[in-house]
Amino acid sequence: MNDIYAQRLRRLREKKIQQTQEKYEYEGCLDEDDYGRIVPTFAWHIIANDPDGSFYGIDGWTDNICDLLEHHDVFIDDDDAFTGRWMYFLSKMRPHKYKQSLMPPELEKQIDYYKIDAGIGFDAHFCPDYRIGLELGWKGLLEKIDFYRKKYPEKKHFYDCHERVIKSIQVWIKHHIDKLDELAQSESDAQKKQELLVKKKVNEHILNDKPKTLREAMQWIIWFHLVSRTFNRDGAGGQLDTLLEPYYDHDLKAKLIDREEAVYFMGCFLVNDPAYWQIGGPDANGNDQTCELSYIILDAAEKINVSLNLTLRVHDKMNMHLFDKAVRLLVTYKEGWPRFSGDNALVDGFCRLGYDKQLARQRIAVGCNWMSLPGMEYTLNDLFKINMAKIFEISWQTMMRECGYPELGGDIGTYIPKIKGTKQAKKKEPAVALLWKIFSEHLSKAVHITAEAMRFHLKIQPENETELLLNLLSHGPIERGLDISGGGAMYYNLAIDAAGLGTVSDSFTAIEQRIEKEKKINWETLDVQLRTNWRGIDGEQQRLMMSRSKHYGSSQEGTAWAVKISHTFSDLVIKESNDKLKFIPGLFSWAKSHLFGRDVGATPDGRRFGDPITHGANPVPHFIDDAASLSMSTAIAAVQPGYGNTAPLQLELDPSTMGGDPVEIVKTIILTHFDLGGTLINVNIINKDVILAANKHPELYPELIVRVTGFTAYFCMLTPEFRQLVVDRIVNS
């Protein structure tokens, strides 16, 4: 690579690490995507429009984003081909996600009872169609707004607010143009002066006109993404290689660019923000989309080697050379990127909802665990989760009360009642079949309550958090004069995720094995141990016995329970759908497995009160000795929800323990998992000794990147709790 470009990218990488450290010093640990946000260089405060100190509705959001953009500082870096960085997180600055007085009391009560992770009023997770913006430019978008404002004069205010936002974006861009001109006029170095003038020219052109060159297209995307991130953390990207391919091809033919410069541009683009971009995969007709830009994206990622969220789509006609390169980068750099999504299961699953394959292939991986149709679909991905371990705990307690076993007094873990004589008159005998019946009933109620919470979200969201940015790059909102959350979208597909599958399946398996088959413990004794956090008579001995029962992933019995639970959950979610709203099941805990564990007492699989529940669809970490085997891949493929959303396979692999070529082993696991019906694979390739040392002294490992779950992050930026979450998965795998 050209030495100048290589040096610039190297310095940008060093600055990125420094900016991350500055964020840590300014805000403390951040348990989320690394983001491209930097520490604010100017002071700004929200404009409240409600007595509760928050802001709501189209006016509140318009006033705040416009005021912020019009006062936003500029960001220009000599090494960067592009300008701009975001500094404030508008949606996080609100003290309330929605007006709490609107919440129906009974719904709130039920959400709390089941400890449902309900993202009411939270930022939606869906994907814009950047083609709309690139084909129109800011001026074209303004003209589109004006056209529909004249067509629907009764919705004038809706259009006026969107127009205000675009004009404020242009003001922010204009501030950068002015600063670039000022810097160029005072610059004595001819080369630096020329580069400043080029940046100025790029921004001047896209201030109104649609982009023509690759550099202009990338800068336009950056501007939109910076504002959308600032607005409500929109992290979705798109199909990056095909999106930019026409501009790259145009520039090559016009001899405006060479490959090395394209790699440099892409490196700067990826440093700007670790958005979720997909590469490769099929087009609507199933043909492979790999192009030269697919390789350029990977080459640029290799050059900068920072926190990234790239996904390669694996399908039947995949370019195997691109696949090999992607896996080699994953294994070589050990930074958790790229990820891999499985086309066949995702497409077939989405078609089960009534959509055709051409549309299903356009639904791409652009989030932690989620898929989206760019610009067409309103989703609530990764926002509403059911803690199945909590459902199990409630079900266990319900069964024992129905069977005449009293509730035990005292604090968990401190009160140890006598084993004998605690039973009241029995109404029925406890049994696995009875427990399953009660669990299914409670799970059904929890799914329905979650669906009701999502319907409530849709009811209030247009007047709560209007999607002023994503409306612009979606098919329908501007054309209809309706917010995408309130009738503007083409499709409404709402995701309900379940967490703790391994905890629940192993609990059922352990009860069935140790109580009903082997009779090594009885119901009453286990009940006491669970209520007292295994501190009853012989508690630790009995806990170890239960924990060493058969497991999901390593036994037919355990996996059969996991499949049964997953399929039951999926059926319950699908039943909530109607012609307008489709509910889609998924298995994903994000990084909340430890948070969910705090709400759940001891469980029959040997887990203690407050310990994390199992991550996503993964079996318990120690379910098998050889983490690089295909056992986990096979197990998670078997429990896929089956309707187009994912149950990711999270792998933690140490190359030194693989006993072969790590690249070939990882390739085999990926292909096998997807052949079996898997949907998404997240992999950490890491040395266990390194992660243990970094956990003790994270400040000594500022460059260490790990895949926490669906996202990558700098290890030193995570809280001790999140670091331990990753460490436990790696060390116990």
Side-chain angles (χ1 to χ4, degrees), residues 33-78:
D33 301 52
D34 178 64
Y35 298 133
R37 183 170 54 90
I38 63 173
V39 172
T41 55
F42 69 106
W44 185 84
H45 303 282
I46 65 169
I47 304 168
N49 69 348
D50 192 88
D52 68 4
S54 192
F55 60 90
Y56 307 99
I58 193 168
D59 290 314
W61 282 93
T62 302
D63 290 344
N64 274 275
I65 189 63
C66 290
D67 187 76
L68 175 54
L69 292 178
E70 288 161 14
H71 291 89
H72 205 293
D73 213 344
V74 301
F75 180 91
I76 297 168
D77 189 312
D78 289 343

Short mmCIF file of all heavy atoms in Angstrom, two decimals, residues 33-78:
data_model
loop_
_atom_site.label_atom_id
_atom_site.label_comp_id
_atom_site.label_asym_id
_atom_site.label_seq_id
_atom_site.Cartn_x
_atom_site.Cartn_y
_atom_site.Cartn_z
N ASP A 33 -21.64 -1.12 22.18
CA ASP A 33 -20.79 -0.96 21.00
C ASP A 33 -19.78 0.15 21.24
O ASP A 33 -20.06 1.13 21.94
CB ASP A 33 -21.63 -0.56 19.77
CG ASP A 33 -22.70 -1.59 19.43
OD1 ASP A 33 -23.46 -1.95 20.33
OD2 ASP A 33 -22.77 -2.01 18.27
N ASP A 34 -18.63 0.03 20.62
CA ASP A 34 -17.61 1.05 20.81
C ASP A 34 -18.07 2.40 20.24
O ASP A 34 -17.80 3.45 20.80
CB ASP A 34 -16.31 0.63 20.12
CG ASP A 34 -15.24 1.69 20.26
OD1 ASP A 34 -14.83 1.96 21.40
OD2 ASP A 34 -14.85 2.27 19.24
N TYR A 35 -18.79 2.38 19.14
CA TYR A 35 -19.27 3.60 18.49
C TYR A 35 -18.10 4.47 18.00
O TYR A 35 -16.96 4.31 18.40
CB TYR A 35 -20.16 4.45 19.40
CG TYR A 35 -21.44 3.79 19.86
CD1 TYR A 35 -21.82 3.84 21.19
CD2 TYR A 35 -22.27 3.14 18.96
CE1 TYR A 35 -23.01 3.25 21.63
CE2 TYR A 35 -23.45 2.56 19.39
CZ TYR A 35 -23.81 2.60 20.71
OH TYR A 35 -24.97 2.02 21.14
N GLY A 36 -18.44 5.43 17.14
CA GLY A 36 -17.43 6.37 16.67
C GLY A 36 -17.50 7.69 17.40
O GLY A 36 -16.81 8.65 17.06
N ARG A 37 -18.36 7.74 18.41
CA ARG A 37 -18.54 8.97 19.17
C ARG A 37 -17.26 9.33 19.92
O ARG A 37 -16.56 8.46 20.42
CB ARG A 37 -19.70 8.78 20.16
CG ARG A 37 -20.06 9.98 20.99
CD ARG A 37 -21.36 9.71 21.74
NE ARG A 37 -21.28 8.48 22.52
CZ ARG A 37 -20.87 8.41 23.77
NH1 ARG A 37 -20.49 9.53 24.39
NH2 ARG A 37 -20.83 7.26 24.41
N ILE A 38 -16.98 10.62 20.01
CA ILE A 38 -15.82 11.10 20.75
C ILE A 38 -16.28 12.02 21.88
O ILE A 38 -17.44 12.44 21.92
CB ILE A 38 -14.82 11.83 19.83
CG1 ILE A 38 -15.46 13.09 19.22
CG2 ILE A 38 -14.30 10.90 18.74
CD1 ILE A 38 -14.49 13.95 18.43
N VAL A 39 -15.37 12.33 22.77
CA VAL A 39 -15.68 13.20 23.90
C VAL A 39 -16.08 14.59 23.38
O VAL A 39 -15.40 15.15 22.51
CB VAL A 39 -14.46 13.33 24.84
CG1 VAL A 39 -14.71 14.39 25.90
CG2 VAL A 39 -14.17 11.98 25.49
N PRO A 40 -17.20 15.15 23.86
CA PRO A 40 -17.64 16.46 23.38
C PRO A 40 -16.58 17.54 23.57
O PRO A 40 -15.91 17.60 24.61
CB PRO A 40 -18.88 16.75 24.24
CG PRO A 40 -19.37 15.41 24.67
CD PRO A 40 -18.14 14.58 24.83
N THR A 41 -16.47 18.38 22.58
CA THR A 41 -15.55 19.51 22.64
C THR A 41 -16.30 20.83 22.86
O THR A 41 -15.72 21.90 22.76
CB THR A 41 -14.72 19.60 21.36
OG1 THR A 41 -15.60 19.65 20.22
CG2 THR A 41 -13.80 18.40 21.22
N PHE A 42 -17.61 20.71 23.11
CA PHE A 42 -18.42 21.91 23.39
C PHE A 42 -19.56 21.47 24.32
O PHE A 42 -19.91 20.29 24.41
CB PHE A 42 -18.99 22.51 22.10
CG PHE A 42 -20.04 21.66 21.42
CD1 PHE A 42 -21.38 22.00 21.47
CD2 PHE A 42 -19.68 20.49 20.75
CE1 PHE A 42 -22.34 21.21 20.86
CE2 PHE A 42 -20.63 19.70 20.13
CZ PHE A 42 -21.97 20.06 20.19
N ALA A 43 -20.14 22.43 25.01
CA ALA A 43 -21.21 22.14 25.97
C ALA A 43 -22.57 22.32 25.32
O ALA A 43 -22.80 23.30 24.60
CB ALA A 43 -21.08 23.05 27.18
N TRP A 44 -23.45 21.37 25.59
CA TRP A 44 -24.82 21.46 25.08
C TRP A 44 -25.75 20.71 26.02
O TRP A 44 -25.37 19.68 26.59
CB TRP A 44 -24.92 20.87 23.67
CG TRP A 44 -26.28 21.04 23.05
CD1 TRP A 44 -26.75 22.14 22.39
CD2 TRP A 44 -27.35 20.09 23.06
NE1 TRP A 44 -28.05 21.94 21.99
CE2 TRP A 44 -28.44 20.67 22.39
CE3 TRP A 44 -27.50 18.81 23.57
CZ2 TRP A 44 -29.67 20.02 22.21
CZ3 TRP A 44 -28.71 18.15 23.41
CH2 TRP A 44 -29.78 18.75 22.72
N HIS A 45 -26.98 21.22 26.18
CA HIS A 45 -27.96 20.59 27.06
C HIS A 45 -29.30 20.47 26.33
O HIS A 45 -29.64 21.29 25.48
CB HIS A 45 -28.14 21.40 28.34
CG HIS A 45 -26.87 21.60 29.11
ND1 HIS A 45 -26.31 20.62 29.90
CD2 HIS A 45 -26.02 22.67 29.17
CE1 HIS A 45 -25.19 21.06 30.42
NE2 HIS A 45 -24.99 22.31 30.00
N ILE A 46 -30.05 19.45 26.70
CA ILE A 46 -31.33 19.21 26.02
C ILE A 46 -32.31 20.34 26.32
O ILE A 46 -32.20 21.05 27.31
CB ILE A 46 -31.95 17.87 26.44
CG1 ILE A 46 -32.33 17.86 27.92
CG2 ILE A 46 -31.04 16.70 26.10
CD1 ILE A 46 -33.19 16.67 28.33
N ILE A 47 -33.29 20.47 25.42
CA ILE A 47 -34.37 21.44 25.58
C ILE A 47 -35.61 20.66 25.98
O ILE A 47 -36.23 19.97 25.15
CB ILE A 47 -34.62 22.20 24.27
CG1 ILE A 47 -33.33 22.88 23.79
CG2 ILE A 47 -35.74 23.22 24.45
CD1 ILE A 47 -33.42 23.41 22.37
N ALA A 48 -35.99 20.70 27.24
CA ALA A 48 -37.15 19.95 27.72
C ALA A 48 -38.44 20.61 27.25
O ALA A 48 -38.53 21.84 27.17
CB ALA A 48 -37.12 19.86 29.24
N ASN A 49 -39.44 19.80 26.95
CA ASN A 49 -40.76 20.35 26.60
C ASN A 49 -41.86 19.72 27.46
O ASN A 49 -43.03 19.73 27.08
CB ASN A 49 -41.06 20.19 25.11
CG ASN A 49 -41.29 18.73 24.71
OD1 ASN A 49 -41.01 17.81 25.47
ND2 ASN A 49 -41.78 18.54 23.49
N ASP A 50 -41.44 19.16 28.60
CA ASP A 50 -42.41 18.53 29.50
C ASP A 50 -41.97 18.80 30.94
O ASP A 50 -40.76 18.89 31.22
CB ASP A 50 -42.47 17.02 29.25
CG ASP A 50 -43.65 16.37 29.95
OD1 ASP A 50 -44.74 16.32 29.34
OD2 ASP A 50 -43.48 15.91 31.10
N PRO A 51 -42.92 18.95 31.85
CA PRO A 51 -42.56 19.21 33.26
C PRO A 51 -41.65 18.15 33.88
O PRO A 51 -40.97 18.42 34.87
CB PRO A 51 -43.92 19.24 33.96
CG PRO A 51 -44.88 19.67 32.91
CD PRO A 51 -44.38 19.03 31.65
N ASP A 52 -41.63 16.94 33.32
CA ASP A 52 -40.78 15.90 33.89
C ASP A 52 -39.32 16.04 33.50
O ASP A 52 -38.48 15.23 33.89
CB ASP A 52 -41.30 14.51 33.53
CG ASP A 52 -41.17 14.18 32.04
OD1 ASP A 52 -40.60 14.99 31.28
OD2 ASP A 52 -41.63 13.09 31.63
N GLY A 53 -39.01 17.09 32.74
CA GLY A 53 -37.63 17.37 32.38
C GLY A 53 -37.15 16.69 31.11
O GLY A 53 -36.00 16.86 30.70
N SER A 54 -38.04 15.93 30.46
CA SER A 54 -37.68 15.25 29.22
C SER A 54 -38.30 15.97 28.04
O SER A 54 -38.91 17.04 28.18
CB SER A 54 -38.15 13.79 29.28
OG SER A 54 -37.58 13.04 28.23
N PHE A 55 -38.12 15.42 26.85
CA PHE A 55 -38.78 15.99 25.67
C PHE A 55 -39.41 14.86 24.88
O PHE A 55 -38.91 13.73 24.83
CB PHE A 55 -37.80 16.80 24.80
CG PHE A 55 -36.63 16.02 24.28
CD1 PHE A 55 -36.70 15.35 23.06
CD2 PHE A 55 -35.44 15.95 24.99
CE1 PHE A 55 -35.61 14.64 22.57
CE2 PHE A 55 -34.35 15.25 24.52
CZ PHE A 55 -34.43 14.58 23.30
N TYR A 56 -40.55 15.16 24.26
CA TYR A 56 -41.34 14.16 23.56
C TYR A 56 -41.91 14.74 22.27
O TYR A 56 -42.01 15.95 22.10
CB TYR A 56 -42.50 13.67 24.43
CG TYR A 56 -42.10 13.19 25.80
CD1 TYR A 56 -42.23 14.02 26.92
CD2 TYR A 56 -41.60 11.91 25.99
CE1 TYR A 56 -41.88 13.57 28.19
CE2 TYR A 56 -41.24 11.45 27.26
CZ TYR A 56 -41.38 12.29 28.35
OH TYR A 56 -41.02 11.85 29.60
N GLY A 57 -42.31 13.84 21.38
CA GLY A 57 -43.05 14.23 20.20
C GLY A 57 -42.20 14.86 19.12
O GLY A 57 -41.01 15.14 19.29
N ILE A 58 -42.82 15.10 18.00
CA ILE A 58 -42.10 15.59 16.83
C ILE A 58 -41.49 16.96 17.08
O ILE A 58 -40.38 17.24 16.62
CB ILE A 58 -43.04 15.60 15.59
CG1 ILE A 58 -42.21 15.80 14.31
CG2 ILE A 58 -44.14 16.64 15.74
CD1 ILE A 58 -42.99 15.52 13.04
N ASP A 59 -42.16 17.81 17.86
CA ASP A 59 -41.61 19.14 18.13
C ASP A 59 -40.41 19.05 19.07
O ASP A 59 -39.40 19.72 18.86
CB ASP A 59 -42.68 20.05 18.73
CG ASP A 59 -43.75 20.43 17.72
OD1 ASP A 59 -43.38 20.80 16.60
OD2 ASP A 59 -44.94 20.33 18.05
N GLY A 60 -40.54 18.23 20.11
CA GLY A 60 -39.43 18.09 21.05
C GLY A 60 -38.18 17.55 20.38
O GLY A 60 -37.06 18.06 20.61
N TRP A 61 -38.34 16.54 19.57
CA TRP A 61 -37.18 15.95 18.89
C TRP A 61 -36.62 16.89 17.82
O TRP A 61 -35.40 17.00 17.66
CB TRP A 61 -37.56 14.61 18.27
CG TRP A 61 -37.61 13.51 19.28
CD1 TRP A 61 -38.70 13.08 19.99
CD2 TRP A 61 -36.51 12.73 19.73
NE1 TRP A 61 -38.35 12.08 20.85
CE2 TRP A 61 -37.01 11.83 20.72
CE3 TRP A 61 -35.16 12.68 19.42
CZ2 TRP A 61 -36.20 10.90 21.38
CZ3 TRP A 61 -34.34 11.76 20.08
CH2 TRP A 61 -34.86 10.89 21.04
N THR A 62 -37.50 17.56 17.10
CA THR A 62 -37.03 18.49 16.06
C THR A 62 -36.25 19.64 16.69
O THR A 62 -35.15 19.99 16.24
CB THR A 62 -38.22 19.05 15.25
OG1 THR A 62 -38.93 17.96 14.66
CG2 THR A 62 -37.72 19.97 14.15
N ASP A 63 -36.80 20.23 17.74
CA ASP A 63 -36.12 21.35 18.39
C ASP A 63 -34.74 20.94 18.91
O ASP A 63 -33.76 21.68 18.78
CB ASP A 63 -36.97 21.89 19.54
CG ASP A 63 -38.22 22.61 19.07
OD1 ASP A 63 -38.29 22.96 17.88
OD2 ASP A 63 -39.13 22.81 19.90
N ASN A 64 -34.66 19.76 19.50
CA ASN A 64 -33.40 19.33 20.09
C ASN A 64 -32.35 18.97 19.05
O ASN A 64 -31.21 19.42 19.15
CB ASN A 64 -33.65 18.14 21.03
CG ASN A 64 -34.04 18.59 22.42
OD1 ASN A 64 -33.20 18.87 23.27
ND2 ASN A 64 -35.35 18.67 22.67
N ILE A 65 -32.71 18.18 18.06
CA ILE A 65 -31.70 17.77 17.08
C ILE A 65 -31.25 18.97 16.25
O ILE A 65 -30.06 19.11 15.93
CB ILE A 65 -32.20 16.62 16.18
CG1 ILE A 65 -31.05 16.06 15.33
CG2 ILE A 65 -33.36 17.05 15.30
CD1 ILE A 65 -29.93 15.43 16.11
N CYS A 66 -32.17 19.86 15.92
CA CYS A 66 -31.79 21.03 15.13
C CYS A 66 -30.88 21.97 15.93
O CYS A 66 -29.88 22.47 15.41
CB CYS A 66 -33.03 21.77 14.65
SG CYS A 66 -33.97 20.88 13.39
N ASP A 67 -31.23 22.20 17.18
CA ASP A 67 -30.40 23.07 18.01
C ASP A 67 -29.01 22.46 18.21
O ASP A 67 -28.00 23.18 18.14
CB ASP A 67 -31.07 23.29 19.37
CG ASP A 67 -30.35 24.32 20.21
OD1 ASP A 67 -30.49 25.53 19.92
OD2 ASP A 67 -29.63 23.93 21.15
N LEU A 68 -28.96 21.16 18.44
CA LEU A 68 -27.67 20.50 18.63
C LEU A 68 -26.81 20.59 17.38
O LEU A 68 -25.61 20.94 17.46
CB LEU A 68 -27.90 19.03 19.02
CG LEU A 68 -26.65 18.15 19.14
CD1 LEU A 68 -25.63 18.76 20.10
CD2 LEU A 68 -27.04 16.75 19.60
N LEU A 69 -27.40 20.32 16.21
CA LEU A 69 -26.61 20.34 14.97
C LEU A 69 -26.13 21.76 14.65
O LEU A 69 -25.01 21.94 14.15
CB LEU A 69 -27.44 19.79 13.81
CG LEU A 69 -27.77 18.30 13.87
CD1 LEU A 69 -28.64 17.90 12.69
CD2 LEU A 69 -26.50 17.46 13.90
N GLU A 70 -26.97 22.73 14.90
CA GLU A 70 -26.60 24.10 14.57
C GLU A 70 -25.51 24.64 15.49
O GLU A 70 -24.82 25.60 15.15
CB GLU A 70 -27.86 24.97 14.61
CG GLU A 70 -28.78 24.70 13.41
CD GLU A 70 -30.21 25.18 13.62
OE1 GLU A 70 -30.44 25.96 14.57
OE2 GLU A 70 -31.09 24.76 12.86
N HIS A 71 -25.34 24.01 16.67
CA HIS A 71 -24.28 24.42 17.59
C HIS A 71 -23.14 23.42 17.66
O HIS A 71 -22.17 23.64 18.40
CB HIS A 71 -24.86 24.63 19.00
CG HIS A 71 -25.77 25.81 19.11
ND1 HIS A 71 -27.13 25.73 18.89
CD2 HIS A 71 -25.52 27.12 19.41
CE1 HIS A 71 -27.68 26.92 19.06
NE2 HIS A 71 -26.73 27.78 19.38
N HIS A 72 -23.26 22.32 16.92
CA HIS A 72 -22.29 21.23 17.02
C HIS A 72 -20.92 21.67 16.53
O HIS A 72 -20.78 22.38 15.53
CB HIS A 72 -22.77 20.03 16.19
CG HIS A 72 -22.21 18.72 16.65
ND1 HIS A 72 -20.88 18.39 16.56
CD2 HIS A 72 -22.81 17.64 17.21
CE1 HIS A 72 -20.70 17.17 17.03
NE2 HIS A 72 -21.85 16.69 17.44
N ASP A 73 -19.89 21.22 17.24
CA ASP A 73 -18.52 21.54 16.87
C ASP A 73 -18.13 20.79 15.59
O ASP A 73 -18.75 19.77 15.23
CB ASP A 73 -17.58 21.16 18.00
CG ASP A 73 -16.39 22.10 18.10
OD1 ASP A 73 -16.14 22.84 17.12
OD2 ASP A 73 -15.71 22.09 19.15
N VAL A 74 -17.10 21.25 14.93
CA VAL A 74 -16.58 20.59 13.74
C VAL A 74 -15.48 19.61 14.15
O VAL A 74 -14.89 19.72 15.22
CB VAL A 74 -16.03 21.60 12.72
CG1 VAL A 74 -17.11 22.57 12.29
CG2 VAL A 74 -14.83 22.35 13.28
N PHE A 75 -15.24 18.65 13.26
CA PHE A 75 -14.15 17.70 13.48
C PHE A 75 -13.44 17.48 12.15
O PHE A 75 -14.04 17.00 11.19
CB PHE A 75 -14.67 16.37 14.02
CG PHE A 75 -13.58 15.35 14.27
CD1 PHE A 75 -12.96 15.27 15.50
CD2 PHE A 75 -13.16 14.50 13.25
CE1 PHE A 75 -11.95 14.35 15.73
CE2 PHE A 75 -12.15 13.58 13.47
CZ PHE A 75 -11.53 13.50 14.71
N ILE A 76 -12.17 17.83 12.12
CA ILE A 76 -11.35 17.67 10.92
C ILE A 76 -10.01 17.09 11.33
O ILE A 76 -9.36 17.60 12.25
CB ILE A 76 -11.16 19.02 10.19
CG1 ILE A 76 -12.51 19.57 9.71
CG2 ILE A 76 -10.20 18.86 9.01
CD1 ILE A 76 -12.46 21.00 9.24
N ASP A 77 -9.61 16.03 10.67
CA ASP A 77 -8.36 15.35 10.96
C ASP A 77 -7.54 15.26 9.68
O ASP A 77 -8.05 14.79 8.65
CB ASP A 77 -8.64 13.95 11.52
CG ASP A 77 -7.40 13.25 12.05
OD1 ASP A 77 -6.37 13.24 11.34
OD2 ASP A 77 -7.45 12.70 13.16
N ASP A 78 -6.30 15.68 9.73
CA ASP A 78 -5.45 15.67 8.54
C ASP A 78 -5.30 14.29 7.93
O ASP A 78 -5.12 14.15 6.72
CB ASP A 78 -4.04 16.21 8.87
CG ASP A 78 -4.04 17.70 9.14
OD1 ASP A 78 -5.03 18.37 8.76
OD2 ASP A 78 -3.07 18.21 9.73
#
